């Protein structure tokens, strides 16, 4: 990040004006100031004289030049809180500095917690009870503080106060207003009951008590005392109901202490800011502020399911769909309706099963998102063998009932629907991302309803057939061409099997291909044995037995895949994504493009080929100094899962562009074009450029 050079004379002038505007007058008991072009710092006493054993207050007072800031106990994403070490040479005790409630101070891609203008940090001092009157009570201290603008500069200074000792302490009227304002700026004890908790990357804090009602609070923010507990850059959504206020939190990188203390600052409808010191033991996460209503989420889910039919992941299943539709041509209305409804049922059941599995895994504390099953090479190998078996069936090696397998049984249509969803889950279609993110934040019943709506959306074409069977008249009439079509459609299934075998090689390395290919050989043998038995019509039990034995042999190969080590994603562009690397690049003020992808995500691979790895895109990245970070979710990764959820997503692809100095990323669409990426980089550059 380029730093502006501030001229010292201008700073001195600005600081002098700030000091003249400060409330403390020259008559107050104040130490000699430590001054720089950035800050003027003094030690101030509220008493003109002190009495033996009677406590009084001091304050470390900072008056900062415009544009400079100092820090709270938790400085936020970077910084250091001020400190003061007192030497009471005549004895006595000194308390700790009290910190005013902080403000959020955006600083490039970071957010700091601290102070602008003036900050006063009071503390209590108690002289010894045997201190004799008629002498001076000497206080010496050394303070250190950090001030930042475009650069950060550590400063320090030594202070001394000599206060007369009298039989009764005498207050200093000149300092009374300063200490009154300092007291008002401190967080007050909370009158509210507090609950807080985290679930995965999300969390919430709830305050309940009198005075909290819809419209009573305009904005609020929770400042934890522990660093790194929350993501300071994320907004905290506010929800109010009678007697309670809830703020959403985004989990940070540090463990949550027990108890977790902090400050909740809130601004009421009249613009008055109040701050309360809170502390609570982490527990069950309070209900988050309500997002979209269920009907809106369900509508997005249905649209996403409908678009999912056009995503690259579903192309292999189009063979089964085409064969099923072709067989419906010329059938009776009753048969058309039954077959279509069976397919719809299969799709919806599969979506409900996936939704239930996701909710169950989340409840068990596991990081699982959309397409989670494809992070397992065991599942991918099994799907590769299933695609091979479907292809062999379409090629006529063996026969199984159902539209997908060459027959007309309703069970076959239901199975085709289930298989279509299983193959489609590597993809996340437009509208699906927002729906999935909202669904996983809902109660279980609402989440299951959203998954059901997604299934209905994907099955909508067959729903239309069920409602209007006469539409089948638009299909070609059945004939000999259907056999040729059936055999032709086997080849997309073989292609899907080959693609899935390649995915296993990415997940488990080249050695992972050995059990996949061996299993494919056994599946092929079993299909041939079953087909020979069906063709001969005699001793079919022998063929079924051989097919069953071959299947068991293939399944026995799977356990070795679960323990295989995943190699690095060698062909991924750029550097490997990590939270630390992203934070370091953003702290340097460099633009960053984050690509969250997986080998089994066909949409991801297509986007990379047509939009991310083109000569024009690479030239734009190089021209603007963009660093590309690639997060590989092929075998799952809790850190990547947390990033997905922080962006309200449940699966890949996800594309984030962080312009230089921006506090939040630009989220690009899931279907990319080269122009979209180049325009996003240009927009980020223009937004980061300072105004003339």
């Amino acid at each position: 990040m380029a730093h502006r050079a501030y001229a010292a004379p201008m700073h001195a002038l600005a600081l002098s004006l700030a000091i003249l505007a400060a409330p403390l007058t020259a008559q107050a008991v104040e130490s000699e100031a430590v001054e720089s072009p950035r800050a003027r710092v003094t030690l101030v006493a509220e008493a003109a004289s002190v009495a033996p054993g009677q406590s009084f207050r001091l304050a470390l007072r900072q008056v900062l030049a415009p544009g400079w800031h100092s820090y709270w106990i938790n400085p936020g994403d970077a910084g250091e809180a001020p400190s003061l070490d007192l030497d009471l040479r005549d004895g006595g005790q000194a308390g700790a500095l009290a910190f005013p409630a902080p403000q959020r101070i955006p600083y490039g891609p970071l957010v700091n917690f601290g102070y602008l203008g003036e900050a006063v940090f009071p503390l209590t001092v108690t002289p010894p009870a045997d201190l004799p009157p008629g002498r001076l009570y000497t206080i010496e201290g050394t303070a250190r503080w950090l001030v930042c603008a475009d650069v950060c500069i550590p400063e320090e200074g030594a202070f001394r106060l000599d206060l007369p000792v009298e039989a009764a302490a005498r207050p200093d009227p000149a300092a009374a207003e300063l200490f009154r304002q300092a007291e008002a700026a401190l967080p007050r004890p909370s009158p509210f009951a507090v609950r807080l908790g985290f679930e995965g990357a999300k969390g919430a804090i709830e305050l309940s008590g009198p005075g909290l009602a819809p419209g009573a609070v305009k904005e609020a923010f929770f400042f934890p005392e522990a660093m790194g507990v929350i993501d300071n850059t994320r907004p905290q959504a506010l929800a109010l109901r009678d007697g309670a206020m809830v703020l959403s939190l985004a989990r940070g990188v540090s463990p949550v202490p027990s108890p977790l203390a902090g400050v909740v600052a809130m601004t009421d409808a009249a613009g008055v800011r109040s701050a309360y010191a809170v502390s609570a033991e982490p527990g069950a996460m309070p209900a988050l502020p309500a997002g979209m209503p269920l009907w809106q989420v369900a509508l997005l889910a249905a649209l996403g399911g409908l678009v999912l039919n056009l995503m690259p992941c579903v192309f292999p299943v189009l063979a089964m769909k085409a064969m099923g539709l072709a067989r419906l041509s010329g059938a009776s209305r009753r048969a058309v309706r039954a077959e279509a409804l069976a397919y719809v049922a299969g799709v919806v059941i599969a979506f409900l099963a996936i939704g239930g599995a996701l909710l169950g895994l989340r409840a068990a504390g596991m990081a699982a998102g959309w397409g989670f099953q494809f992070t397992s090479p065991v599942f991918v190998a099994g799907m590769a063998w299933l695609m091979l078996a479907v292809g062999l069936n379409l090629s006529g090696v063996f026969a199984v009932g159902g539209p997908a397998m060459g027959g007309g049984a309703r069970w076959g249509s239901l199975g085709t629907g289930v298989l279509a969803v299983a193959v489609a889950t590597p993809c996340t279609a437009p509208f699906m991302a927002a729906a999935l993110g909202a669904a996983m934040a809902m109660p279980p019943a609402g989440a299951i309803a959203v998954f059901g709506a997604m299934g209905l959306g994907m099955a909508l074409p067959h729903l239309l057939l069920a409602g209007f069977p006469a539409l089948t008249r638009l299909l070609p009439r059945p004939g000999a061409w259907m056999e040729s079509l059936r055999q032709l459609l086997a080849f997309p299934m073989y292609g899907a099997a080959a693609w899935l075998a390649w995915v296993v090689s990415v997940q488990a390395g080249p050695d992972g291909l050995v059990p996949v290919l061996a299993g494919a050989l056994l599946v092929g043998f079993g299909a041939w044995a079953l087909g020979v038995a069906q063709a001969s019509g005699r001793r079919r039990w022998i063929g079924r037995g051989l097919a069953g034995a071959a299947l068991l042999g293939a399944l026995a190969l799977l356990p070795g895949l679960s323990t295989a080590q995943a190699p690095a994603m060698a062909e991924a562009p750029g550097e490997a994504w990590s939270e630390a690397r992203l934070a370091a690049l953003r702290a340097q003020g460099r633009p960053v493009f984050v690509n969250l992808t997986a080998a089994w995500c066909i949409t991801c691979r297509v986007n990379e080929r047509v939009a991310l790895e083109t000569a024009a895109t690479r030239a734009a990245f190089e021209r603007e100094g963009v660093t590309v970070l690639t997060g590989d979710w092929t075998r799952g990764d809790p850190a990547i899962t947390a990033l997905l959820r922080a962006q309200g997503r449940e699966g890949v692809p996800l594309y984030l562009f962080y312009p230089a100095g921006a506090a939040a990323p630009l989220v690009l669409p899931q279907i990319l074009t080269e122009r979209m990426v180049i325009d996003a980089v240009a927009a980020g550059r223009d937004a980061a450029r300072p105004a003339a």
Side-chain angles (χ1 to χ4, degrees):
M1 181 185 298
H3 301 297
R4 293 194 304 269
Y6 282 84
M10 294 300 295
H11 274 306
L13 176 60
L15 185 58
S16 299
L17 293 175
I19 294 168
L20 290 174
L24 186 61
T25 64
Q27 286 75 30
V29 179
E30 186 174 14
S31 70
E32 184 177 349
V34 175
E35 296 187 77
S36 74
R38 299 161 294 277
R40 182 180 191 273
V41 182
T42 56
L43 190 64
V44 188
E46 72 169 336
S49 66
V50 301
Q54 185 174 343
S55 298
F56 65 97
R57 288 181 297 179
L58 297 177
L60 185 69
R61 181 187 184 221
Q62 295 178 337
V63 180
L64 303 169
W68 292 83
H69 64 268
S70 62
Y71 293 95
W72 186 54
I73 302 169
N74 169 8
D77 288 328
E80 184 179 0
S83 64
L84 174 65
D85 296 322
L86 290 184
D87 179 10
L88 305 178
R89 61 174 56 186
D90 297 315
Q93 295 180 340
L97 285 179
F99 284 73
Q103 332 175 31
R104 296 177 79 246
I105 304 174
Y107 183 63
L110 309 177
V111 171
N112 296 329
F113 299 156
Y115 312 99
L116 298 164
E118 181 177 7
V120 179
F121 308 90
L123 73 157
T124 301
V125 174
T126 304
D130 57 355
L131 187 67
R135 56 172 297 178
L136 294 177
Y137 184 56
T138 300
I139 301 172
E140 293 183 337
T142 301
R144 297 174 180 83
W145 58 93
L146 182 68
V147 288
C148 294
D150 285 347
V151 294
C152 290
I153 300 177
E155 298 184 343
E156 63 179 28
F159 307 94
R160 174 173 175 145
L161 288 174
D162 293 303
L163 302 176
V165 181
E166 301 176 356
R170 182 162 42 87
D172 183 358
E177 180 62 17
L178 174 77
F179 281 89
R180 188 195 67 78
Q181 292 183 6
E183 184 74 25
L186 296 177
R188 65 188 73 173
S190 174
F192 308 111
V194 182
R195 294 193 307 123
L196 64 87
F198 293 89
E199 290 180 4
K202 297 180 180 179
I205 182 170
E206 179 187 74
L207 277 64
S208 55
L212 297 176
V217 179
K218 183 169 61 175
E219 60 183 24
F221 197 87
F222 172 60
F223 299 89
E225 291 187 1
M227 288 186 65
V229 172
I230 67 170
D231 183 346
N232 306 319
T233 65
R234 300 289 294 175
Q236 297 181 4
L238 168 67
L240 282 164
R241 55 182 183 270
D242 288 335
M245 178 184 80
V246 181
L247 288 173
S248 66
L249 306 175
R251 180 70 179 272
V253 297
S254 299
V256 180
S258 184
L260 177 60
V263 170
V264 173
M266 57 182 73
T267 303
D268 64 18
V272 178
R273 189 175 192 254
S274 304
Y276 301 93
V278 299
S279 179
E281 297 286 344
M285 187 178 76
L288 287 170
M292 290 185 292
L294 178 58
W295 70 269
Q296 288 185 6
V297 179
L299 179 59
L300 285 177
L303 289 174
L306 180 61
V307 176
L308 193 60
N309 287 291
L310 305 177
M311 300 299 287
C313 297
V314 190
F315 287 169
V317 189
L318 292 180
M320 296 182 291
K321 291 185 177 182
M323 198 63 213
L325 289 174
R327 295 190 66 84
L328 292 178
S329 178
S332 68
R333 293 192 175 188
R334 182 176 180 182
V336 169
R337 185 174 288 111
E339 296 290 335
L341 289 177
Y343 176 85
V344 171
V347 170
V348 173
I349 289 171
F351 268 98
L352 294 178
I354 292 174
L358 279 174
L359 293 174
L361 291 172
R362 295 286 185 88
M366 298 178 64
W370 178 253
F372 70 95
Q373 65 272 35
F374 276 85
T375 63
S376 166
V378 172
F379 177 85
V380 176
M383 288 297 298
W385 297 338
L386 180 58
M387 294 295 104
L388 175 61
V390 172
L392 292 171
N393 172 258
L394 292 172
S395 293
V397 175
F398 70 104
V400 174
M405 309 300 187
R410 298 173 190 175
W411 284 106
S413 294
L414 187 143
T416 302
V418 171
L419 187 58
V421 176
V423 177
T425 48
C427 284
T428 306
F431 306 109
M432 276 182 62
L436 286 169
M440 299 314 293
M442 290 180 172
I448 290 296
V450 171
F451 277 93
M454 202 173 301
L456 289 174
M458 185 175 179
L460 183 59
H462 282 73
L463 270 178
L464 291 176
L465 279 179
F468 305 97
L471 291 174
T472 56
R473 295 176 182 174
L474 302 177
L475 299 174
R477 308 302 295 177
W481 63 269
M482 291 182 58
E483 180 61 24
S484 299
L485 176 64
R486 185 171 71 88
Q487 295 182 10
L488 177 64
L489 292 178
F491 291 95
M493 310 313 296
Y494 296 143
W499 160 62
L500 291 168
W502 172 81
V503 171
V504 174
S505 74
V506 175
Q507 294 176 318
D511 291 343
L513 275 177
V514 175
V516 175
L517 296 179
L521 181 62
L522 290 170
V523 169
F525 172 77
W528 170 81
L530 185 58
V532 168
Q534 290 173 340
S536 67
R538 295 178 296 175
R539 298 185 179 180
R540 291 190 176 184
W541 61 272
I542 297 179
R544 293 172 181 171
L546 289 174
L551 178 60
L552 291 175
L555 295 177
L557 298 171
L558 293 177
L561 285 173
S562 62
T563 57
Q565 296 297 316
M569 201 170 178
E571 63 179 76
E575 305 177 31
W577 175 89
S578 72
E579 192 167 0
R581 180 60 177 152
L582 175 62
L585 290 169
R586 295 179 65 194
Q588 295 168 15
R590 296 174 60 180
V592 182
F593 187 91
V594 175
N595 170 22
L596 299 187
T597 182
W600 39 260
C601 173
I602 297 183
T603 305
C604 305
R605 313 305 289 182
V606 171
N607 286 339
E608 287 161 13
R609 293 290 185 272
V610 304
L612 297 181
E613 298 178 11
T614 65
T617 300
R618 288 174 176 169
F621 284 165
E622 183 176 356
R623 184 171 56 251
E624 302 299 335
V626 177
T627 300
V628 178
L629 300 182
T630 300
D632 182 10
W633 206 49
T634 300
R635 289 200 65 170
D637 184 314
I640 294 177
T641 302
L643 177 58
L644 289 168
R645 293 181 187 171
Q647 296 295 329
R649 299 292 179 87
E650 291 296 324
V652 292
L654 175 62
Y655 306 105
L656 305 173
F657 178 59
Y658 296 85
L666 302 175
V667 182
L668 276 68
Q670 291 164 305
I671 306 297
L672 286 183
T673 64
E674 183 182 76
R675 177 49 51 191
M676 287 178 184
V677 179
I678 295 174
D679 288 348
V681 172
R685 174 200 60 208
D686 295 341
R689 182 181 295 149

